[in-house]
Protein backbone atom coordinates (compact mmCIF):
# COMPACT_ATOMS: atom_id res chain seq x y z
CA UNK A 1 0.00 0.00 0.00
CA UNK A 2 1.74 3.24 -1.10
CA UNK A 3 2.45 5.48 1.89
CA UNK A 4 3.29 9.18 1.95
CA UNK A 5 4.45 10.84 5.17
CA UNK A 6 3.99 14.53 5.83
CA UNK A 7 7.63 14.98 4.78
CA UNK A 8 7.17 12.95 1.56
CA UNK A 9 4.14 15.07 0.62
CA UNK A 10 6.04 18.32 1.15
CA UNK A 11 8.83 17.09 -1.12
CA UNK A 12 6.57 16.07 -4.04
CA UNK A 13 6.75 17.82 -7.40
CA UNK A 14 4.00 20.49 -7.58
CA UNK A 15 1.67 18.90 -10.15
CA UNK A 16 1.97 15.43 -8.61
CA UNK A 17 1.20 16.94 -5.21
CA UNK A 18 -1.92 18.82 -6.29
CA UNK A 19 -3.23 15.79 -8.21
CA UNK A 20 -2.68 13.57 -5.16
CA UNK A 21 -4.03 15.81 -2.43
CA UNK A 22 -7.03 17.01 -4.46
CA UNK A 23 -8.07 13.36 -4.93
CA UNK A 24 -7.87 12.46 -1.25
CA UNK A 25 -10.93 14.23 0.13
CA UNK A 26 -13.19 11.92 -1.90
CA UNK A 27 -15.77 12.97 -4.48
CA UNK A 28 -16.48 16.67 -4.76
CA UNK A 29 -19.50 18.61 -5.97
CA UNK A 30 -19.38 20.20 -9.44
CA UNK A 31 -20.93 23.65 -9.42
CA UNK A 32 -20.87 26.69 -11.65
CA UNK A 33 -20.93 29.88 -9.62
CA UNK A 34 -22.47 32.80 -11.53
CA UNK A 35 -21.84 36.43 -10.62
CA UNK A 36 -22.10 39.88 -12.20
CA UNK A 37 -19.95 42.90 -11.42
CA UNK A 38 -21.47 46.24 -10.41
CA UNK A 39 -20.55 47.40 -13.95
CA UNK A 40 -22.68 44.58 -15.39
CA UNK A 41 -20.05 42.13 -16.64
CA UNK A 42 -21.13 38.58 -15.93
CA UNK A 43 -18.83 35.77 -14.81
CA UNK A 44 -19.17 32.04 -14.37
CA UNK A 45 -16.59 29.68 -12.87
CA UNK A 46 -16.47 26.04 -11.84
CA UNK A 47 -15.98 25.21 -8.16
CA UNK A 48 -15.53 21.86 -6.42
CA UNK A 49 -15.76 23.00 -2.80
CA UNK A 50 -19.42 23.95 -2.37
CA UNK A 51 -20.47 22.25 0.87
CA UNK A 52 -23.77 21.93 2.71
CA UNK A 53 -23.45 23.72 6.05
CA UNK A 54 -26.99 23.56 7.35
CA UNK A 55 -30.64 23.40 6.28
CA UNK A 56 -32.28 25.85 8.69
CA UNK A 57 -31.21 28.44 7.62
CA UNK A 58 -30.24 26.91 4.25
CA UNK A 59 -26.51 27.68 4.06
CA UNK A 60 -23.75 26.62 1.70
CA UNK A 61 -20.08 27.47 1.96
CA UNK A 62 -17.19 27.33 -0.50
CA UNK A 63 -13.49 28.04 -0.39
CA UNK A 64 -11.68 30.48 -2.64
CA UNK A 65 -8.27 31.96 -3.06
CA UNK A 66 -8.35 35.71 -3.76
CA UNK A 67 -5.06 35.51 -5.65
CA UNK A 68 -6.11 33.17 -8.48
CA UNK A 69 -8.69 32.94 -11.24
CA UNK A 70 -11.50 33.05 -8.72
CA UNK A 71 -10.77 36.69 -7.90
CA UNK A 72 -13.57 37.75 -10.28
CA UNK A 73 -16.08 35.59 -8.44
CA UNK A 74 -15.02 36.94 -5.05
CA UNK A 75 -14.87 40.57 -6.19
CA UNK A 76 -18.31 40.38 -7.80
CA UNK A 77 -19.89 38.81 -4.72
CA UNK A 78 -18.32 41.44 -2.46
CA UNK A 79 -19.47 44.26 -4.77
CA UNK A 80 -23.04 43.08 -5.18
CA UNK A 81 -23.86 40.62 -2.38
CA UNK A 82 -25.27 37.99 -4.75
CA UNK A 83 -24.29 34.87 -6.67
CA UNK A 84 -25.84 31.74 -8.13
CA UNK A 85 -24.95 28.07 -7.76
CA UNK A 86 -25.74 25.85 -10.76
CA UNK A 87 -25.17 22.11 -11.03
CA UNK A 88 -23.04 20.63 -13.81
CA UNK A 89 -24.63 17.81 -15.80
CA UNK A 90 -22.69 15.62 -18.23
CA UNK A 91 -23.83 17.51 -21.36
CA UNK A 92 -22.15 20.80 -20.33
CA UNK A 93 -19.04 19.27 -18.79
CA UNK A 94 -16.45 20.52 -21.28
CA UNK A 95 -17.79 24.08 -21.27
CA UNK A 96 -18.00 24.02 -17.46
CA UNK A 97 -14.37 22.84 -17.22
CA UNK A 98 -13.23 25.60 -19.58
CA UNK A 99 -14.43 28.25 -17.09
CA UNK A 100 -11.31 27.37 -15.07
CA UNK A 101 -9.20 29.23 -17.67
CA UNK A 102 -7.95 32.58 -16.42
CA UNK A 103 -9.92 35.21 -18.30
CA UNK A 104 -9.65 38.85 -17.27
CA UNK A 105 -12.52 40.54 -15.44
CA UNK A 106 -13.76 42.34 -18.57
CA UNK A 107 -14.49 39.06 -20.39
CA UNK A 108 -17.56 36.99 -19.55
CA UNK A 109 -17.12 33.22 -19.68
CA UNK A 110 -20.65 33.17 -21.11
CA UNK A 111 -19.21 34.81 -24.25
CA UNK A 112 -16.37 32.31 -24.72
CA UNK A 113 -18.17 29.01 -23.98
CA UNK A 114 -21.45 27.40 -25.01
CA UNK A 115 -22.85 28.16 -21.54
CA UNK A 116 -25.79 30.58 -21.72
CA UNK A 117 -26.72 33.06 -19.02
CA UNK A 118 -30.30 33.50 -17.98
CA UNK A 119 -32.02 35.74 -15.42
CA UNK A 120 -34.98 35.00 -13.14
CA UNK A 121 -37.21 36.99 -10.80
CA UNK A 122 -35.04 40.14 -11.14
CA UNK A 123 -32.11 38.45 -9.37
CA UNK A 124 -28.83 40.30 -10.08
CA UNK A 125 -26.54 37.35 -10.80
CA UNK A 126 -26.83 35.11 -13.88
CA UNK A 127 -28.01 31.52 -13.79
CA UNK A 128 -26.67 28.88 -16.17
CA UNK A 129 -29.46 28.12 -18.61
CA UNK A 130 -30.57 24.50 -18.50
CA UNK A 131 -28.72 23.59 -15.30
CA UNK A 132 -30.85 20.97 -13.50
CA UNK A 133 -30.53 22.74 -10.13
CA UNK A 134 -30.16 26.53 -9.88
CA UNK A 135 -29.92 28.53 -6.68
CA UNK A 136 -30.05 32.27 -6.10
CA UNK A 137 -27.66 32.93 -3.20
CA UNK A 138 -27.14 35.90 -0.88
CA UNK A 139 -23.77 36.55 0.75
CA UNK A 140 -23.94 36.04 4.52
CA UNK A 141 -20.38 36.09 5.88
CA UNK A 142 -16.79 34.99 5.27
CA UNK A 143 -13.89 33.60 7.27
CA UNK A 144 -10.28 34.16 6.27
CA UNK A 145 -8.45 30.88 7.00
CA UNK A 146 -5.16 31.47 8.81
CA UNK A 147 -3.68 28.08 7.95
CA UNK A 148 -3.46 28.75 4.19
CA UNK A 149 -4.87 32.16 3.28
CA UNK A 150 -8.03 30.84 1.63
CA UNK A 151 -11.45 32.29 2.37
CA UNK A 152 -14.57 30.40 3.42
CA UNK A 153 -17.50 32.29 1.91
CA UNK A 154 -21.01 31.48 3.15
CA UNK A 155 -24.27 32.16 1.34
CA UNK A 156 -27.95 31.53 1.99
CA UNK A 157 -30.48 30.23 -0.55
CA UNK A 158 -32.93 32.93 -1.63
CA UNK A 159 -34.54 30.94 -4.43
CA UNK A 160 -34.16 27.32 -5.51
CA UNK A 161 -35.16 25.89 -8.91
CA UNK A 162 -35.14 22.13 -9.57
CA UNK A 163 -35.74 20.19 -12.77
CA UNK A 164 -39.19 18.54 -12.53
CA UNK A 165 -38.37 14.87 -12.49
CA UNK A 166 -35.59 15.04 -9.87
CA UNK A 167 -37.71 15.99 -6.87
CA UNK A 168 -39.18 13.06 -4.92
CA UNK A 169 -42.18 13.17 -2.59
CA UNK A 170 -40.12 13.46 0.61
CA UNK A 171 -37.92 16.32 -0.64
CA UNK A 172 -35.02 14.11 -1.78
CA UNK A 173 -33.48 15.31 -5.05
CA UNK A 174 -32.21 12.44 -7.22
CA UNK A 175 -29.06 13.94 -8.73
CA UNK A 176 -28.24 10.93 -10.92
CA UNK A 177 -31.52 11.28 -12.86
CA UNK A 178 -30.07 14.49 -14.35
CA UNK A 179 -26.61 13.02 -15.01
CA UNK A 180 -25.06 15.46 -12.54
CA UNK A 181 -21.29 15.08 -12.34
CA UNK A 182 -18.97 14.54 -9.37
CA UNK A 183 -15.34 15.69 -9.39
CA UNK A 184 -12.39 13.39 -8.66
CA UNK A 185 -9.23 15.35 -7.91
CA UNK A 186 -8.28 18.36 -9.96
CA UNK A 187 -9.49 17.35 -13.41
CA UNK A 188 -11.33 14.00 -13.19
CA UNK A 189 -15.08 13.88 -13.78
CA UNK A 190 -17.21 10.92 -12.72
CA UNK A 191 -20.86 10.07 -13.33
CA UNK A 192 -22.57 8.68 -10.21
CA UNK A 193 -25.56 6.32 -10.26
CA UNK A 194 -27.79 6.26 -7.19
CA UNK A 195 -27.55 2.82 -5.57
CA UNK A 196 -29.66 3.07 -2.43
CA UNK A 197 -31.17 5.24 0.24
CA UNK A 198 -30.65 3.91 3.74
CA UNK A 199 -32.93 4.39 6.73
CA UNK A 200 -32.37 6.68 9.68
CA UNK A 201 -30.20 4.71 12.11
CA UNK A 202 -30.83 4.15 15.81
CA UNK A 203 -28.44 2.36 18.21
CA UNK A 204 -28.67 -1.44 18.12
CA UNK A 205 -29.78 -3.45 21.10
CA UNK A 206 -26.32 -4.47 22.34
CA UNK A 207 -27.26 -8.17 22.61
CA UNK A 208 -27.55 -8.19 18.77
CA UNK A 209 -23.99 -6.97 18.21
CA UNK A 210 -20.79 -8.84 17.54
CA UNK A 211 -19.26 -7.87 20.90
CA UNK B 1 -39.61 23.63 -12.91
CA UNK B 2 -40.41 23.44 -9.16
CA UNK B 3 -39.43 26.65 -7.39
CA UNK B 4 -38.91 27.29 -3.69
CA UNK B 5 -38.45 30.81 -2.37
CA UNK B 6 -36.58 31.56 0.85
CA UNK B 7 -40.02 31.84 2.53
CA UNK B 8 -41.23 28.52 1.07
CA UNK B 9 -38.08 26.78 2.35
CA UNK B 10 -38.53 28.17 5.85
CA UNK B 11 -42.13 26.88 5.93
CA UNK B 12 -41.29 23.30 4.84
CA UNK B 13 -41.85 20.35 7.16
CA UNK B 14 -38.55 19.45 8.89
CA UNK B 15 -37.75 16.13 7.18
CA UNK B 16 -38.73 17.41 3.73
CA UNK B 17 -36.54 20.46 4.29
CA UNK B 18 -33.43 18.53 5.34
CA UNK B 19 -33.83 16.06 2.47
CA UNK B 20 -34.18 18.93 -0.01
CA UNK B 21 -31.40 21.22 1.20
CA UNK B 22 -28.93 18.39 1.82
CA UNK B 23 -29.36 17.32 -1.84
CA UNK B 24 -28.76 20.77 -3.29
CA UNK B 25 -25.02 21.16 -2.78
CA UNK B 26 -24.39 18.32 -5.25
CA UNK B 27 -22.47 15.12 -4.53
CA UNK B 28 -20.67 14.90 -1.21
CA UNK B 29 -17.68 12.90 -0.06
CA UNK B 30 -18.25 9.80 2.10
CA UNK B 31 -15.69 9.57 4.87
CA UNK B 32 -15.39 7.74 8.16
CA UNK B 33 -13.66 9.86 10.77
CA UNK B 34 -11.87 7.78 13.40
CA UNK B 35 -10.94 9.13 16.83
CA UNK B 36 -10.01 7.81 20.27
CA UNK B 37 -10.69 9.52 23.60
CA UNK B 38 -7.91 10.20 26.10
CA UNK B 39 -9.38 7.28 28.10
CA UNK B 40 -8.84 4.99 25.10
CA UNK B 41 -12.39 4.52 23.80
CA UNK B 42 -12.41 4.55 20.02
CA UNK B 43 -15.08 6.16 17.84
CA UNK B 44 -15.89 6.15 14.16
CA UNK B 45 -18.57 8.25 12.44
CA UNK B 46 -19.60 8.97 8.87
CA UNK B 47 -19.24 12.54 7.56
CA UNK B 48 -20.27 14.05 4.23
CA UNK B 49 -18.61 17.46 4.57
CA UNK B 50 -14.88 16.71 4.30
CA UNK B 51 -13.58 19.27 1.81
CA UNK B 52 -10.18 19.86 0.21
CA UNK B 53 -8.89 23.25 1.36
CA UNK B 54 -5.39 23.26 -0.05
CA UNK B 55 -2.50 21.02 -1.07
CA UNK B 56 0.49 22.91 0.30
CA UNK B 57 0.09 22.47 3.23
CA UNK B 58 -2.28 19.51 2.70
CA UNK B 59 -5.41 20.65 4.56
CA UNK B 60 -8.92 19.28 4.80
CA UNK B 61 -11.85 20.83 6.63
CA UNK B 62 -15.20 19.48 7.79
CA UNK B 63 -18.24 20.88 9.54
CA UNK B 64 -19.69 19.57 12.76
CA UNK B 65 -22.37 20.46 15.26
CA UNK B 66 -21.25 20.05 18.85
CA UNK B 67 -24.83 19.38 19.97
CA UNK B 68 -25.48 16.18 17.98
CA UNK B 69 -24.08 12.68 17.52
CA UNK B 70 -20.79 14.14 16.36
CA UNK B 71 -19.96 15.42 19.83
CA UNK B 72 -17.79 12.33 20.44
CA UNK B 73 -15.73 13.05 17.33
CA UNK B 74 -15.23 16.69 18.28
CA UNK B 75 -14.48 15.96 21.94
CA UNK B 76 -11.93 13.27 21.05
CA UNK B 77 -10.15 15.51 18.54
CA UNK B 78 -10.00 18.36 21.06
CA UNK B 79 -8.71 16.03 23.79
CA UNK B 80 -6.04 14.34 21.71
CA UNK B 81 -5.31 16.50 18.64
CA UNK B 82 -5.62 13.59 16.20
CA UNK B 83 -8.12 11.89 13.92
CA UNK B 84 -8.21 9.74 10.79
CA UNK B 85 -10.14 10.11 7.53
CA UNK B 86 -11.06 6.86 5.78
CA UNK B 87 -12.91 6.52 2.48
CA UNK B 88 -16.12 4.50 2.23
CA UNK B 89 -16.25 1.89 -0.51
CA UNK B 90 -19.43 0.09 -1.55
CA UNK B 91 -18.69 -3.08 0.45
CA UNK B 92 -18.77 -1.30 3.84
CA UNK B 93 -21.62 1.08 3.04
CA UNK B 94 -24.25 -0.29 5.42
CA UNK B 95 -21.84 -0.45 8.36
CA UNK B 96 -20.57 3.05 7.56
CA UNK B 97 -24.12 4.40 7.47
CA UNK B 98 -24.92 2.78 10.83
CA UNK B 99 -22.23 4.91 12.51
CA UNK B 100 -24.71 7.79 12.21
CA UNK B 101 -26.73 6.21 15.06
CA UNK B 102 -26.35 8.07 18.35
CA UNK B 103 -24.25 5.85 20.57
CA UNK B 104 -22.97 7.17 23.89
CA UNK B 105 -19.29 8.06 24.29
CA UNK B 106 -18.49 4.82 26.18
CA UNK B 107 -19.48 2.62 23.22
CA UNK B 108 -17.18 2.21 20.22
CA UNK B 109 -18.91 1.95 16.84
CA UNK B 110 -16.17 -0.58 16.02
CA UNK B 111 -17.83 -2.91 18.56
CA UNK B 112 -21.34 -2.60 17.13
CA UNK B 113 -20.64 -2.76 13.37
CA UNK B 114 -18.55 -4.95 11.08
CA UNK B 115 -16.02 -2.10 10.75
CA UNK B 116 -12.63 -3.08 12.18
CA UNK B 117 -10.18 -0.65 13.75
CA UNK B 118 -6.51 -0.86 12.92
CA UNK B 119 -3.46 1.13 14.04
CA UNK B 120 -0.39 2.23 12.06
CA UNK B 121 2.95 3.83 12.87
CA UNK B 122 1.97 4.48 16.51
CA UNK B 123 -0.70 6.99 15.48
CA UNK B 124 -3.21 7.56 18.30
CA UNK B 125 -6.47 7.45 16.32
CA UNK B 126 -7.88 4.28 14.72
CA UNK B 127 -8.00 3.70 10.97
CA UNK B 128 -10.79 1.72 9.33
CA UNK B 129 -9.26 -1.59 8.26
CA UNK B 130 -9.46 -2.13 4.49
CA UNK B 131 -10.47 1.43 3.60
CA UNK B 132 -8.91 2.19 0.19
CA UNK B 133 -7.62 5.60 1.34
CA UNK B 134 -6.61 6.24 4.95
CA UNK B 135 -5.21 9.50 6.32
CA UNK B 136 -3.66 10.29 9.69
CA UNK B 137 -4.73 13.86 10.47
CA UNK B 138 -3.51 16.42 12.98
CA UNK B 139 -5.83 19.15 14.30
CA UNK B 140 -4.77 22.60 13.08
CA UNK B 141 -7.53 25.07 13.91
CA UNK B 142 -11.28 25.62 14.03
CA UNK B 143 -13.76 28.37 13.22
CA UNK B 144 -17.10 28.69 15.00
CA UNK B 145 -19.63 29.73 12.32
CA UNK B 146 -21.83 32.59 13.50
CA UNK B 147 -24.55 32.02 10.90
CA UNK B 148 -25.65 28.63 12.29
CA UNK B 149 -23.51 27.56 15.25
CA UNK B 150 -21.60 24.84 13.38
CA UNK B 151 -17.82 24.50 13.61
CA UNK B 152 -15.36 24.29 10.72
CA UNK B 153 -12.54 22.03 11.91
CA UNK B 154 -9.30 21.95 9.91
CA UNK B 155 -6.69 19.20 9.91
CA UNK B 156 -3.43 18.52 8.12
CA UNK B 157 -2.35 15.19 6.62
CA UNK B 158 0.44 13.56 8.64
CA UNK B 159 0.38 10.24 6.81
CA UNK B 160 -1.48 9.08 3.73
CA UNK B 161 -2.07 5.43 2.70
CA UNK B 162 -3.56 4.52 -0.69
CA UNK B 163 -4.60 1.16 -2.11
CA UNK B 164 -2.00 0.09 -4.72
CA UNK B 165 -3.97 0.13 -7.94
CA UNK B 166 -5.62 3.54 -7.42
CA UNK B 167 -2.52 5.71 -7.71
CA UNK B 168 -1.63 6.84 -11.23
CA UNK B 169 1.77 8.02 -12.43
CA UNK B 170 0.96 11.74 -12.14
CA UNK B 171 -0.40 11.52 -8.58
CA UNK B 172 -4.07 11.27 -9.60
CA UNK B 173 -6.00 8.80 -7.44
CA UNK B 174 -8.74 6.95 -9.35
CA UNK B 175 -11.51 6.72 -6.75
CA UNK B 176 -13.88 4.73 -8.94
CA UNK B 177 -11.42 1.80 -9.19
CA UNK B 178 -12.06 1.16 -5.48
CA UNK B 179 -15.86 1.58 -5.73
CA UNK B 180 -15.69 4.60 -3.45
CA UNK B 181 -19.13 6.03 -2.72
CA UNK B 182 -20.52 9.56 -3.10
CA UNK B 183 -23.38 10.86 -0.95
CA UNK B 184 -26.57 12.37 -2.40
CA UNK B 185 -28.51 14.27 0.25
CA UNK B 186 -28.96 12.92 3.73
CA UNK B 187 -29.23 9.20 3.06
CA UNK B 188 -28.64 8.52 -0.66
CA UNK B 189 -25.51 6.68 -1.77
CA UNK B 190 -24.28 6.75 -5.37
CA UNK B 191 -21.50 4.87 -7.13
CA UNK B 192 -19.50 7.11 -9.50
CA UNK B 193 -17.66 5.88 -12.58
CA UNK B 194 -14.76 7.99 -13.87
CA UNK B 195 -15.67 9.33 -17.32
CA UNK B 196 -12.77 11.57 -18.28
CA UNK B 197 -9.92 13.74 -17.18
CA UNK B 198 -9.80 17.11 -18.91
CA UNK B 199 -6.71 19.18 -19.67
CA UNK B 200 -5.58 22.31 -17.91
CA UNK B 201 -7.48 25.17 -19.56
CA UNK B 202 -6.02 28.39 -20.95
CA UNK B 203 -8.05 31.31 -22.35
CA UNK B 204 -9.13 30.84 -25.98
CA UNK B 205 -7.94 33.11 -28.74
CA UNK B 206 -11.01 35.36 -28.91
CA UNK B 207 -11.35 35.00 -32.68
CA UNK B 208 -12.22 31.30 -32.07
CA UNK B 209 -15.15 32.08 -29.79
CA UNK B 210 -18.83 32.43 -30.50
CA UNK B 211 -18.89 36.15 -29.67
Amino acid sequence: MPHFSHKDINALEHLYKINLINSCSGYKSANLIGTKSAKGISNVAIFSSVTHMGSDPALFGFFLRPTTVVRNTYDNIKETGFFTINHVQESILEAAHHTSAKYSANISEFDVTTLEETYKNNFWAPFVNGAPIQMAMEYIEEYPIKANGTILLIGQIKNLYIQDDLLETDGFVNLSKANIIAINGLDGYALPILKTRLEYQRPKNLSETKS
Side-chain angles (χ1 to χ4, degrees), chain A residues 11-165:
Chain A
L12 291 172
E13 180 271 321
H14 174 71
L15 190 60
Y16 191 102
K17 186 190 305 185
I18 62 177
N19 276 327
L20 179 69
I21 304 303
N22 268 278
S23 302
C24 284
S25 56
Y27 286 105
K28 304 192 273 193
S29 51
N31 296 113
L32 287 163
I33 294 185
T35 57
K36 193 165 66 173
S37 69
K39 285 182 186 160
I41 299 169
S42 59
N43 185 282
V44 63
I46 192 164
F47 281 81
S48 63
S49 63
V50 171
T51 304
H52 174 265
M53 290 180 59
S55 299
D56 194 8
L59 299 176
F60 295 102
F62 66 100
F63 293 95
L64 32 71
R65 299 175 190 266
T67 54
T68 68
V69 59
V70 298
R71 179 190 283 276
N72 299 342
T73 298
Y74 179 73
D75 290 349
N76 291 348
I77 294 173
K78 292 295 284 185
E79 271 181 25
T80 67
F82 299 109
F83 59 106
T84 68
I85 298 176
N86 308 268
H87 285 227
V88 176
Q89 78 273 49
E90 195 178 15
S91 59
I92 63 164
L93 178 55
E94 302 221 344
H97 182 70
H98 185 66
T99 65
S100 61
K102 292 172 187 168
Y103 285 100
S104 70
N106 61 0
I107 291 175
S108 168
E109 290 78 6
F110 288 113
D111 290 332
V112 295
T113 65
T114 54
L115 300 173
E116 291 174 2
E117 62 194 308
T118 185
Y119 292 86
K120 300 187 189 216
N121 291 333
N122 295 312
F123 192 69
W124 176 259
F127 296 90
V128 176
N129 195 26
I133 298 176
Q134 301 165 327
M135 291 180 280
M137 304 293 299
E138 182 175 15
Y139 172 92
I140 296 291
E141 54 175 346
E142 68 188 273
Y143 294 85
I145 305 299
K146 285 180 213 141
N148 69 353
T150 57
I151 293 169
L152 168 64
L153 193 148
I154 301 171
Q156 182 168 358
I157 301 180
K158 301 303 288 178
N159 278 289
L160 165 60
Y161 307 88
I162 300 179
Q163 187 180 302
D164 280 334
D165 55 329

Side-chain angles (χ1 to χ4, degrees), chain A residues 161-201:
Chain A
Y161 307 88
I162 300 179
Q163 187 180 302
D164 280 334
D165 55 329
L166 308 186
L167 185 59
E168 303 195 353
T169 52
D170 64 352
F172 180 78
V173 182
N174 187 330
L175 303 175
S176 73
K177 273 196 184 167
N179 294 328
I180 288 170
I181 287 290
I183 298 182
N184 177 170
L186 209 54
D187 56 14
Y189 294 93
L191 187 63
I193 303 296
L194 185 68
K195 286 290 187 179
T196 184
R197 291 183 68 193
L198 297 178
E199 287 190 352
Y200 181 80
Q201 298 291 300

